[in-house]
Amino acid sequence: MTDLRAAALQALRAQTIEIPSWAFGNSGTRFKVFGAPGVARDPFEKIADAAQVHACTGAAPRVSLHIPWDRVEDYGKLAAHAADLGVAIGAINSNLFQDDEYRLGSLTHADTAIRDKAIAHHAECVEVMRATGSTDLKLWLPDGTNYAGQDDLRARQDRLADSLQQIYALLDPGHRLLIEYKIYEPYFYAMDIPDWGTSLVHCLALGDQAQVVLDTGHHAPSTNIEFIVMQLLRVGRLGAFDFNSRYYGDDDLIVGSADPFQLFRIMNEIVEADALRPDSGINFMLDQCHNIEPKIPGQIRSVTNVQEATAKALLVDREALHAAQQAGDVLGAHGALNDAFATDVRPLLAELRESAGLAPDPYRAYAASGYADRIAAERTGGTPASWGA
Amino acid sequence: MTDLRAAALQALRAQTIEIPSWAFGNSGTRFKVFGAPGVARDPFEKIADAAQVHACTGAAPRVSLHIPWDRVEDYGKLAAHAADLGVAIGAINSNLFQDDEYRLGSLTHADTAIRDKAIAHHAECVEVMRATGSTDLKLWLPDGTNYAGQDDLRARQDRLADSLQQIYALLDPGHRLLIEYKIYEPYFYAMDIPDWGTSLVHCLALGDQAQVVLDTGHHAPSTNIEFIVMQLLRVGRLGAFDFNSRYYGDDDLIVGSADPFQLFRIMNEIVEADALRPDSGINFMLDQCHNIEPKIPGQIRSVTNVQEATAKALLVDREALHAAQQAGDVLGAHGALNDAFATDVRPLLAELRESAGLAPDPYRAYAASGYADRIAAERTGGTPASWGA
Amino acid sequence: MTDLRAAALQALRAQTIEIPSWAFGNSGTRFKVFGAPGVARDPFEKIADAAQVHACTGAAPRVSLHIPWDRVEDYGKLAAHAADLGVAIGAINSNLFQDDEYRLGSLTHADTAIRDKAIAHHAECVEVMRATGSTDLKLWLPDGTNYAGQDDLRARQDRLADSLQQIYALLDPGHRLLIEYKIYEPYFYAMDIPDWGTSLVHCLALGDQAQVVLDTGHHAPSTNIEFIVMQLLRVGRLGAFDFNSRYYGDDDLIVGSADPFQLFRIMNEIVEADALRPDSGINFMLDQCHNIEPKIPGQIRSVTNVQEATAKALLVDREALHAAQQAGDVLGAHGALNDAFATDVRPLLAELRESAGLAPDPYRAYAASGYADRIAAERTGGTPASWGA
Amino acid sequence: MTDLRAAALQALRAQTIEIPSWAFGNSGTRFKVFGAPGVARDPFEKIADAAQVHACTGAAPRVSLHIPWDRVEDYGKLAAHAADLGVAIGAINSNLFQDDEYRLGSLTHADTAIRDKAIAHHAECVEVMRATGSTDLKLWLPDGTNYAGQDDLRARQDRLADSLQQIYALLDPGHRLLIEYKIYEPYFYAMDIPDWGTSLVHCLALGDQAQVVLDTGHHAPSTNIEFIVMQLLRVGRLGAFDFNSRYYGDDDLIVGSADPFQLFRIMNEIVEADALRPDSGINFMLDQCHNIEPKIPGQIRSVTNVQEATAKALLVDREALHAAQQAGDVLGAHGALNDAFATDVRPLLAELRESAGLAPDPYRAYAASGYADRIAAERTGGTPASWGA
């Protein structure tokens, strides 16, 4: 156990979680977006907020951008601003859902001109990657249909495959195209990339630089997500996570808040496959909203939730686990996993932080920092950032 | 069969479907609201559009209002406008989800002042009822929590019960309070009225003027909705429907578009309980969006879908059905139901319309009417109505 | 925290969990029932096995019986056998699903003779209650239909209400009728008691001795179960739990094995409502299978899982929780709950057991006891008990 | 429309549906298997019953066998018996779930000896194929785990891949290996082939003779099945259907009984891809139970339900549909599909049957045939066939 603990500390030290710029803007449901004081008004302020999360946790050194929400004149300046604050630019997310012309589709649209426009948007994103040093182009395809018969499902796939080929051709050698899937919303009959199988089919057609993104909130009820993690690892195509929590649909709650045992099981598959190490190429990202809770503390809680699940996964006594599995000892093997989950890892994580010169509890450290009051006082003019801008 | 057909025609002649004013404003998802040409800009234009649906179908003589979206200075004038166009004002819908103070709840809020404000809003709605002749106050409670522990579930119920008592006390003798339930959204851990059981518990506590509203999109996956219809009819508390369709969450698609057999089974329970007749007190309302399709044709299709399901339910040979049920003839009884569903009722409905001096196909009649082009040309200034205004 | 710990220990000392006799017989799926060595062959052996669970955990002093599976000639002798082994007879479960005549229903059957037979079966169960000192008659109604139209849903409810009245009339003053609901299986279109609302409607019609049983595996996906617990407590009709775990359908896995956070949230509602104390009248029962794992260890793990969830619920700092809730501090309140869940309560439970003269780890204590080998050696002839006998 | 009707008749004439021998044995739930008079007692009687379905419908000329349930001494004799009755032997189904040794897995078991046994079982199945002229080996893998940690998910995949390679090597050139997936049951934590993606990953690794089987009841709630059909057709790996209906889990009800619109949408994808023609290689099979309804009429209804859905799909005015799709006319395209679904195709199918010298209504024809009474009278001794034998 002592050895497990030491090894866990070492692995946790190397773990990084990427946080999304849009978590620091206002978000909500179709019914209402509630505002909050001090919300960032531009990409520079979003990055400043993200840097606070990293300053408190020591585990969140990258920020994903979303284009056009994070469009700036000088991306080099934005990257330098991030570096000054101790963070780097992570994945560049394209946006295919907020143009009036995309009402019936973007990369799948029947009209070539609209498809071309959507492809060109990715060329802009690749430029942002070059300017910021990002290596991941993340594509969540919001395309789909609302009514049976509305469009030809097969024709849409073929148009999608063609569009993806063109986007893939834009990549530099070290770049990756990360393709996310989602079962439903914003369309409600058939999404064009609804499941990991479809995402994989397209990645296989594209080549090695195409990988699947698994968003934990994008599955049908009762889907076993850790199985998909395992399978994508097995076929070498798990590129990244979008972490968040759900009870019902794509609830976008704080990761680990709804089912911490599920998050632990997911991280257990990662550890089991030795895919936690930084050079595994898996980008552990957050993608979630803070509709009613404060945003920076919400991100801090999210990061610590992932850390706690990871710590527990690292504390699994794998020798005992494998021995029980090999012996067909159902309850023994299950118990070996559960023993790790039952462990209170908060002291371990406090030690991790203190050994890095951080406060043991990032949530309290942030509360004590006065940052929230400061931004509430300072950010009084202008328009708070949101999904729409 | 001849008799069934004649009886069906008679019952269909008496059937009315209430349509929502908000179907004629723009709507969308949290990701994007797509605009459309000619969208109504105020309650008067919404009612004009609704009147078109009635003009084409002959079956939609009432329009639900939503306060504050349909706030006007002179409700008498609005009601007169409706009457001039051949329709009447239906249920008045309160809004508890678009005020910043309602972030953590409205009728359930821990702060009495906020609860009082939410109750007072219903007093305004009752005034609108008096001014427009409406008898139904519809309350969909969007309150809920996003995180376990966020609030005390029981305390919220007790505060809700108290708020409802105060609202109920506002009603005139002929008024009804219609209480709707919803499993999730806009909150994602626990809605405060998540299911029909909770709605019923509150109605029973309030009195006979309180009834349950069943929204067909507000249930967990695989819930048998017609069973709930039957049970609410049995205990005398089914007040109204909010019709729409879902494949996944609260998709708000055109009623009957996702699972026409389910809609038929629902209408079959209505017919079986002799609850279709107008004096049954059940208000058959639509509540749905038209995010990507044109709105007036979308409402027309919705009305005709309900009519088709009703017509099929009316064509069930109930003697044969009951005989097979009584005999334990599983496939015979199932077949008696299916025979009605397999029937093409479009000719019957065409006959119904023609006998009322209408065109046989309301969808084509509207397309041929030139109304769409007219409003697109006329409604050029101003701001299109939407959920937000 | 010291005080919380002491109070928790005291409450845990008083907590009892009832275990089902049928957990000690063979069970499986429709595809296969796997046998196991040493499985009990009759009710006496089942009770002996159950007594082992109590001997190891100190928390399982009652055994539910299932009639006719546990039919014996002399119930007084069976009760005495139980008493000799340190346990008592708990709820008596009726069986309405294994008679050929019940193919199309039992208490809801169209044929009065079959309904009478099903009612008479409950008279037998009440006799067993009298002979064994049991006070709970548990009725899970497996009735339902497989095809739309197969039978008249409303007529079935009315027949059910009548049958329940007759059963209720059989009860002695101190008896309770516990009515369980289930969304589906063994019928797949409409169960006759599919949800808590229907169960409650019938209980309200019957009287105060009728209460609802909540089986944790009997809900639609994504149902918030702790909300139902709260609501049934609020209306005074939560009679008992049937505990088990599910990922998909009615999986009947070890309680707490699939979603320990959910079990904690359920127990949190119990503690919040002060309904853990023995005189609350809530019977905490297990109802689950052990298809592939050994049965006695499976029951022991189930009992300790309930204890762990309860211990965590008892450790919630309710002052802090309520203060944060009152202040609208979303993350603070959520965090107060989570802090208790993150706590490793295994040492507390070890202390509880040792203070009662038991081994700290019941699972290991049983493994070390040699009982499994003993029964495997001794129980060689005869037929293992199962759901069918 | 005249042309559509003629083309539909021609396509329907060529359509064949394969029926399962096990539909003619007793089946049920884990709670109870209800018997019925006249149930077949051996494979010869099952085939005789299947031949009745074909005699009445003219559309069911093949019977799937299940080994060992349909084990006979002389398969040539069984095939000749079938031929005498006008039907042929279809797919051979292996059984990996009824051996005590398979409790923890078959093709995925940690023990090589057990895996070898399961592989050897397929060698027997291939022998049956050779003896009966069957070309399809259907493998539904029931393997899985019930508890997190019970076994190593990845190791199980690797063992499965190895086992499948060995089975694939057994095939003759004209043979196919059809690999079915299922989300849950008989295991409840993680099935080893839970989804189409996993099935496809293994098929791709094996080679062109491996194809996916889509069972309509084996998906998570709200999964869009026709999308999967489209995608598997697109990648050339849709080998077969197992048709049945579900409201909840794997309900195994009569295909088309729960959601006829879904079945129509599935058949629409088939027709759209021109995959209905016999040489497409897609085997349209039934796989369902008749727990409470009579079995031969249940199969007849199943066949006619598939025919009705197919007929409607064939009547879609594809020119109009594609034009509306191309024009982005959402409601027009949806309406083109719906118009076909609204059509009463029973007269068309009656014509189809009469043109083949059959009675227009197969269900009534069977009822009038006296066959049910005859087998009830004749099959009095022996043991009715069931899943277990």
Side-chain angles (χ1 to χ4, degrees):
Chain A
M1 196 65 179
T2 320
D3 290 349
L4 269 178
R5 208 174 181 281
L9 273 172
Q10 195 177 338
L12 289 164
R13 237 168 241 129
Q15 183 183 32
T16 62
I17 296 153
E18 183 166 317
I19 55 181
S21 70
W22 53 97
F24 303 102
N26 284 325
S27 61
T29 68
R30 59 176 166 152
F31 294 98
K32 170 75 175 168
V33 174
F34 293 106
V39 164
R41 295 160 301 177
D42 61 39
F44 290 86
E45 290 183 353
K46 291 187 208 171
I47 284 177
D49 291 356
Q52 284 296 311
V53 177
H54 184 50
C56 294
T57 63
R62 291 186 312 284
V63 190
S64 312
L65 299 187
H66 193 116
I67 306 300
W69 300 343
D70 294 321
R71 220 173 244 161
V72 292
E73 282 194 22
D74 184 343
Y75 288 100
K77 197 174 145 194
L78 190 68
H81 170 71
D84 286 348
L85 296 169
V87 295
I89 303 301
I92 304 303
N93 291 255
S94 61
N95 181 313
L96 298 167
F97 49 87
Q98 293 196 314
D99 193 295
D100 278 328
E101 290 187 286
Y102 296 159
R103 185 172 56 97
L104 302 179
S106 61
L107 297 178
T108 65
H109 202 287
D111 182 339
T112 315
I114 294 174
R115 289 206 302 280
D116 286 347
K117 174 178 171 173
I119 293 162
H121 170 56
H122 290 84
E124 177 191 354
C125 290
V126 171
E127 287 304 322
V128 176
M129 292 168 71
R130 288 174 186 141
T132 58
S134 166
T135 56
D136 285 351
L137 174 60
K138 194 175 78 170
L139 188 160
W140 165 53
L141 185 77
D143 293 10
T145 47
N146 274 356
Y147 294 99
Q150 176 190 328
D151 201 359
D152 185 311
L153 298 180
R154 166 69 178 271
R156 292 176 77 88
Q157 286 298 305
D158 293 340
R159 296 190 295 249
L160 171 60
D162 178 74
S163 297
L164 289 174
Q165 290 283 6
Q166 294 186 54
I167 291 169
Y168 192 79
L170 298 168
L171 300 180
D172 291 341
H175 287 176
R176 302 194 300 174
L177 178 62
L178 301 176
I179 300 179
E180 188 166 337
Y181 58 93
K182 188 177 187 191
I183 180 172
Y184 79 97
E185 194 207 26
Y187 294 96
F188 302 107
Y189 164 61
M191 293 294 284
D192 291 311
I193 307 184
D195 52 20
W196 73 268
T198 296
S199 210
L200 179 64
V201 159
H202 286 289
C203 285
L204 292 174
L206 290 171
D208 287 346
Q209 286 169 264
Q211 302 259 310
V212 179
V213 181
L214 187 154
D215 183 299
T216 48
H218 288 186
H219 303 84
S222 78
T223 301
N224 184 322
I225 295 175
E226 61 267 27
F227 182 93
I228 300 174
V229 170
M230 175 280 295
Q231 192 69 276
L232 287 173
L233 284 168
R234 183 173 171 268
V235 298
R237 293 284 179 165
L238 181 61
F241 283 96
D242 265 3
F243 279 128
N244 49 55
S245 271
R246 74 188 288 274
Y247 288 97
Y248 303 96
D250 181 32
D251 304 346
D252 270 343
L253 301 178
I254 289 176
V255 57
S257 69
D259 188 348
F261 188 53
Q262 182 188 56
L263 182 59
F264 162 73
R265 297 193 311 262
I266 289 170
M267 293 313 299
N268 178 57
E269 290 303 323
I270 292 292
V271 171
E272 182 73 44
D274 192 24
L276 187 64
R277 51 189 173 70
D279 63 349
S280 73
I282 297 167
N283 192 349
F284 298 89
M285 306 186 292
L286 303 181
D287 181 12
Q288 53 192 48
C289 306
H290 302 291
N291 296 349
I292 58 169
E293 68 273 19
K295 295 166 202 311
I296 297 172
Q299 287 288 294
I300 289 173
R301 192 65 94 196
S302 305
V303 169
T304 59
N305 280 358
V306 174
Q307 287 184 303
E308 290 183 19
T310 308
K312 291 180 180 199
L314 289 164
L315 291 180
V316 171
D317 182 342
R318 284 184 197 278
E319 262 182 67
L321 177 69
H322 295 158
Q325 289 173 341
Q326 204 62 29
D329 176 4
V330 174
L331 291 180
H334 177 56
L337 203 73
N338 279 355
D339 276 342
F341 183 69
T343 306
D344 188 343
V345 295
R346 292 172 301 174
L348 181 77
L349 289 167
E351 184 182 330
L352 172 77
R353 290 171 196 128
E354 288 178 318
S355 76
L358 297 167
D361 182 336
Y363 183 80
R364 283 167 194 248
Y366 174 76
S369 74
Y371 186 83
D373 289 341
R374 201 153 60 241
I375 56 176
E378 287 172 7
R379 296 175 181 172
T380 46
T383 307
S386 77
W387 282 20
Chain B
M1 197 64 179
T2 320
D3 290 348
L4 269 178
R5 208 173 180 282
L9 273 173
Q10 194 178 340
L12 288 164
R13 240 169 238 127
Q15 183 184 31
T16 62
I17 297 153
E18 182 166 318
I19 55 180
S21 70
W22 53 98
F24 303 102
N26 284 324
S27 61
T29 69
R30 57 177 168 152
F31 293 98
K32 171 74 175 169
V33 174
F34 292 105
V39 164
R41 295 161 299 178
D42 61 39
F44 290 86
E45 289 182 353
K46 291 187 208 171
I47 284 176
D49 290 356
Q52 283 296 310
V53 177
H54 184 50
C56 293
T57 63
R62 291 185 313 284
V63 190
S64 312
L65 299 187
H66 193 115
I67 307 298
W69 299 344
D70 293 322
R71 220 174 245 162
V72 293
E73 280 194 24
D74 184 342
Y75 287 101
K77 195 173 146 195
L78 190 68
H81 171 71
D84 286 349
L85 296 168
V87 295
I89 303 301
I92 304 303
N93 291 256
S94 62
N95 181 314
L96 298 168
F97 49 87
Q98 292 196 314
D99 193 294
D100 279 328
E101 290 187 286
Y102 296 158
R103 185 173 55 97
L104 302 179
S106 61
L107 298 178
T108 64
H109 201 288
D111 183 338
T112 315
I114 293 173
R115 289 206 301 281
D116 286 348
K117 174 177 171 171
I119 294 163
H121 170 57
H122 289 84
E124 177 191 354
C125 290
V126 171
E127 286 305 322
V128 176
M129 292 168 71
R130 289 174 187 142
T132 57
S134 166
T135 56
D136 284 352
L137 175 59
K138 194 174 77 167
L139 187 160
W140 165 52
L141 184 77
D143 293 10
T145 49
N146 273 356
Y147 294 100
Q150 175 189 327
D151 201 358
D152 185 311
L153 298 180
R154 166 69 179 271
R156 292 175 77 88
Q157 286 297 307
D158 293 340
R159 296 191 296 250
L160 171 61
D162 178 74
S163 298
L164 289 174
Q165 290 284 6
Q166 295 186 54
I167 291 169
Y168 191 80
L170 298 168
L171 300 179
D172 292 341
H175 287 177
R176 301 194 301 174
L177 178 61
L178 302 176
I179 302 179
E180 187 166 338
Y181 58 93
K182 187 178 186 191
I183 180 173
Y184 79 96
E185 194 206 24
Y187 294 96
F188 302 107
Y189 164 61
M191 293 295 285
D192 291 310
I193 308 184
D195 51 21
W196 74 268
T198 296
S199 210
L200 179 64
V201 160
H202 286 290
C203 285
L204 292 174
L206 290 171
D208 286 345
Q209 286 169 265
Q211 303 259 310
V212 178
V213 181
L214 187 154
D215 183 299
T216 49
H218 288 187
H219 303 84
S222 78
T223 301
N224 183 322
I225 294 175
E226 61 268 27
F227 183 93
I228 300 175
V229 170
M230 175 279 295
Q231 192 69 276
L232 287 172
L233 284 169
R234 184 174 170 267
V235 298
R237 293 285 180 165
L238 180 61
F241 282 95
D242 265 4
F243 279 127
N244 49 55
S245 271
R246 73 189 287 273
Y247 288 97
Y248 304 96
D250 181 33
D251 303 347
D252 271 343
L253 301 178
I254 289 176
V255 56
S257 69
D259 188 347
F261 188 53
Q262 183 188 56
L263 182 60
F264 162 71
R265 297 193 311 262
I266 289 171
M267 294 313 299
N268 179 57
E269 290 302 323
I270 292 293
V271 171
E272 181 72 44
D274 192 23
L276 187 64
R277 50 189 173 71
D279 63 350
S280 74
I282 298 167
N283 192 349
F284 298 88
M285 306 186 292
L286 303 181
D287 181 12
Q288 54 191 47
C289 306
H290 302 292
N291 297 348
I292 58 169
E293 69 272 20
K295 295 166 202 310
I296 297 172
Q299 287 288 296
I300 289 172
R301 192 65 94 195
S302 305
V303 169
T304 58
N305 281 358
V306 174
Q307 287 184 303
E308 290 183 19
T310 307
K312 291 180 180 200
L314 289 163
L315 292 181
V316 171
D317 181 342
R318 285 185 197 277
E319 261 183 68
L321 177 70
H322 295 159
Q325 289 173 341
Q326 204 62 28
D329 176 4
V330 173
L331 291 180
H334 178 55
L337 204 71
N338 279 355
D339 277 342
F341 184 69
T343 306
D344 188 343
V345 294
R346 292 173 300 175
L348 181 76
L349 289 167
E351 183 182 331
L352 172 78
R353 290 171 196 128
E354 288 178 317
S355 76
L358 297 167
D361 182 336
Y363 183 81
R364 283 166 195 249
Y366 174 75
S369 74
Y371 187 82
D373 289 342
R374 201 153 61 241
I375 57 176
E378 288 172 7
R379 298 177 182 171
T380 47
T383 307
S386 77
W387 281 20
Chain C
M1 195 65 178
T2 320
D3 290 348
L4 269 179
R5 209 173 180 280
L9 273 172
Q10 195 177 339
L12 289 164
R13 240 169 238 127
Q15 183 184 30
T16 62
I17 297 152
E18 183 166 317
I19 55 181
S21 69
W22 53 98
F24 303 103
N26 283 325
S27 61
T29 67
R30 59 177 168 152
F31 294 99
K32 170 73 175 169
V33 175
F34 292 105
V39 165
R41 295 159 301 178
D42 61 39
F44 290 87
E45 290 183 353
K46 290 187 208 170
I47 284 176
D49 291 356
Q52 283 296 310
V53 177
H54 183 50
C56 293
T57 62
R62 291 186 312 283
V63 190
S64 311
L65 299 187
H66 192 115
I67 305 301
W69 299 345
D70 293 322
R71 220 173 244 161
V72 293
E73 280 194 23
D74 184 342
Y75 287 101
K77 198 173 144 193
L78 190 68
H81 170 71
D84 286 348
L85 295 168
V87 295
I89 302 302
I92 305 302
N93 291 255
S94 61
N95 181 315
L96 298 167
F97 49 87
Q98 293 195 315
D99 194 294
D100 279 328
E101 290 187 287
Y102 296 159
R103 185 173 56 97
L104 301 179
S106 62
L107 298 178
T108 63
H109 202 288
D111 182 339
T112 315
I114 292 173
R115 288 206 302 280
D116 287 347
K117 175 177 170 172
I119 294 163
H121 170 56
H122 290 85
E124 178 192 352
C125 290
V126 171
E127 286 304 323
V128 176
M129 291 167 71
R130 288 172 188 143
T132 57
S134 166
T135 57
D136 285 352
L137 174 60
K138 194 174 77 169
L139 187 160
W140 165 53
L141 184 77
D143 293 10
T145 48
N146 273 357
Y147 294 100
Q150 175 190 327
D151 202 357
D152 185 311
L153 297 181
R154 166 68 179 272
R156 291 175 78 89
Q157 285 298 307
D158 293 340
R159 296 191 296 250
L160 171 60
D162 178 74
S163 297
L164 289 174
Q165 290 283 7
Q166 294 186 53
I167 291 170
Y168 192 79
L170 297 167
L171 300 180
D172 292 341
H175 287 176
R176 301 195 300 174
L177 178 62
L178 302 176
I179 301 178
E180 188 167 338
Y181 59 93
K182 188 177 186 191
I183 179 172
Y184 80 96
E185 194 207 25
Y187 295 95
F188 302 107
Y189 164 61
M191 293 294 285
D192 291 310
I193 307 185
D195 52 20
W196 73 269
T198 296
S199 212
L200 179 64
V201 160
H202 285 290
C203 285
L204 291 174
L206 289 171
D208 286 345
Q209 286 169 266
Q211 303 260 310
V212 178
V213 181
L214 187 153
D215 184 299
T216 48
H218 287 186
H219 303 83
S222 79
T223 302
N224 184 322
I225 295 175
E226 61 268 28
F227 182 93
I228 300 174
V229 170
M230 175 280 294
Q231 192 69 277
L232 287 173
L233 284 167
R234 183 173 171 269
V235 298
R237 294 285 180 163
L238 180 61
F241 283 96
D242 266 4
F243 278 128
N244 48 56
S245 272
R246 73 190 288 276
Y247 288 96
Y248 304 97
D250 181 33
D251 303 348
D252 270 343
L253 301 178
I254 289 177
V255 56
S257 69
D259 188 349
F261 188 52
Q262 182 188 56
L263 182 60
F264 162 72
R265 297 193 311 261
I266 290 171
M267 294 313 300
N268 178 57
E269 290 302 323
I270 292 292
V271 171
E272 182 72 44
D274 193 23
L276 187 64
R277 52 189 173 70
D279 62 350
S280 73
I282 297 165
N283 193 350
F284 299 88
M285 306 187 291
L286 303 180
D287 181 12
Q288 53 189 50
C289 306
H290 302 292
N291 296 350
I292 59 168
E293 69 273 20
K295 295 167 201 310
I296 297 173
Q299 287 288 296
I300 289 173
R301 194 62 94 196
S302 305
V303 168
T304 59
N305 280 358
V306 174
Q307 287 184 302
E308 290 183 19
T310 307
K312 290 180 181 199
L314 289 163
L315 291 180
V316 171
D317 181 342
R318 284 184 197 278
E319 262 182 66
L321 177 70
H322 295 158
Q325 289 173 340
Q326 204 61 30
D329 176 3
V330 173
L331 290 180
H334 178 56
L337 203 73
N338 279 356
D339 277 342
F341 184 70
T343 306
D344 188 344
V345 295
R346 291 172 302 173
L348 181 77
L349 289 168
E351 184 182 330
L352 172 78
R353 290 171 196 129
E354 288 179 317
S355 76
L358 297 168
D361 181 336
Y363 183 80
R364 283 166 194 248
Y366 174 76
S369 74
Y371 186 83
D373 289 343
R374 202 153 62 243
I375 57 176
E378 286 173 9
R379 298 175 181 171
T380 47
T383 307
S386 77
W387 282 20
Chain D
M1 195 66 178
T2 320
D3 290 349
L4 269 179
R5 206 172 182 281
L9 273 172
Q10 193 177 339
L12 288 165
R13 240 168 237 129
Q15 183 183 31
T16 63
I17 297 153
E18 183 167 317
I19 55 180
S21 70
W22 52 96
F24 304 102
N26 284 325
S27 60
T29 69
R30 58 177 167 151
F31 294 99
K32 171 73 175 170
V33 174
F34 292 106
V39 165
R41 294 160 301 177
D42 61 38
F44 290 86
E45 289 182 355
K46 290 187 208 171
I47 285 176
D49 291 356
Q52 283 295 311
V53 177
H54 184 50
C56 294
T57 63
R62 292 185 313 282
V63 190
S64 311
L65 299 187
H66 193 117
I67 306 299
W69 299 345
D70 293 322
R71 221 173 243 160
V72 293
E73 281 194 24
D74 184 342
Y75 288 100
K77 198 175 143 191
L78 190 67
H81 170 71
D84 286 348
L85 295 168
V87 294
I89 303 301
I92 304 303
N93 291 256
S94 62
N95 181 314
L96 298 167
F97 49 87
Q98 293 196 314
D99 193 295
D100 278 328
E101 291 188 286
Y102 296 158
R103 184 173 56 96
L104 303 179
S106 61
L107 298 178
T108 64
H109 202 287
D111 183 340
T112 315
I114 293 173
R115 289 206 301 281
D116 286 348
K117 175 178 169 172
I119 293 162
H121 170 56
H122 290 84
E124 179 193 352
C125 290
V126 171
E127 286 305 321
V128 176
M129 292 167 72
R130 288 171 187 144
T132 57
S134 166
T135 56
D136 284 351
L137 174 59
K138 194 174 79 171
L139 188 160
W140 165 53
L141 184 77
D143 292 12
T145 49
N146 274 356
Y147 294 101
Q150 176 190 327
D151 202 357
D152 185 309
L153 298 181
R154 166 68 179 272
R156 293 176 77 89
Q157 286 298 306
D158 293 339
R159 297 191 296 252
L160 171 60
D162 178 75
S163 298
L164 289 174
Q165 290 282 5
Q166 295 186 54
I167 291 169
Y168 192 80
L170 298 167
L171 300 179
D172 291 341
H175 287 176
R176 301 194 301 174
L177 178 62
L178 302 176
I179 301 180
E180 187 168 338
Y181 59 93
K182 187 178 185 190
I183 179 172
Y184 80 97
E185 194 206 27
Y187 295 96
F188 303 106
Y189 164 60
M191 293 294 284
D192 291 311
I193 307 183
D195 51 21
W196 74 268
T198 297
S199 210
L200 179 64
V201 161
H202 286 290
C203 285
L204 291 174
L206 290 171
D208 287 345
Q209 286 169 265
Q211 302 260 310
V212 178
V213 180
L214 187 154
D215 183 300
T216 48
H218 288 187
H219 303 83
S222 77
T223 302
N224 184 322
I225 295 176
E226 61 268 28
F227 182 93
I228 301 174
V229 170
M230 175 279 295
Q231 192 68 276
L232 287 173
L233 284 168
R234 184 174 171 268
V235 297
R237 292 285 180 164
L238 181 63
F241 283 95
D242 266 3
F243 278 128
N244 49 56
S245 271
R246 74 189 288 274
Y247 288 97
Y248 304 96
D250 181 34
D251 303 347
D252 271 345
L253 300 179
I254 288 176
V255 56
S257 68
D259 188 348
F261 188 54
Q262 183 188 56
L263 183 59
F264 163 72
R265 297 193 310 262
I266 290 170
M267 295 312 301
N268 178 57
E269 291 302 323
I270 291 293
V271 171
E272 181 73 44
D274 192 23
L276 187 66
R277 53 190 171 70
D279 63 350
S280 74
I282 297 166
N283 192 349
F284 299 88
M285 306 187 291
L286 303 181
D287 180 12
Q288 53 190 50
C289 306
H290 302 292
N291 296 350
I292 58 169
E293 68 273 20
K295 295 166 203 309
I296 297 172
Q299 287 288 296
I300 289 172
R301 193 64 93 194
S302 306
V303 169
T304 59
N305 281 356
V306 174
Q307 286 184 303
E308 290 183 19
T310 308
K312 291 180 179 198
L314 289 164
L315 292 181
V316 171
D317 181 342
R318 285 185 197 278
E319 261 183 68
L321 177 70
H322 295 159
Q325 289 174 341
Q326 205 62 29
D329 176 3
V330 174
L331 291 180
H334 177 56
L337 204 72
N338 279 355
D339 276 342
F341 184 69
T343 306
D344 188 345
V345 295
R346 293 173 301 174
L348 181 76
L349 289 167
E351 183 182 331
L352 172 78
R353 290 171 196 129
E354 288 179 316
S355 76
L358 297 168
D361 182 337
Y363 184 80
R364 283 166 193 247
Y366 174 76
S369 74
Y371 186 82
D373 289 342
R374 202 152 64 241
I375 57 176
E378 286 173 8
R379 296 175 181 172
T380 48
T383 306
S386 77
W387 282 20

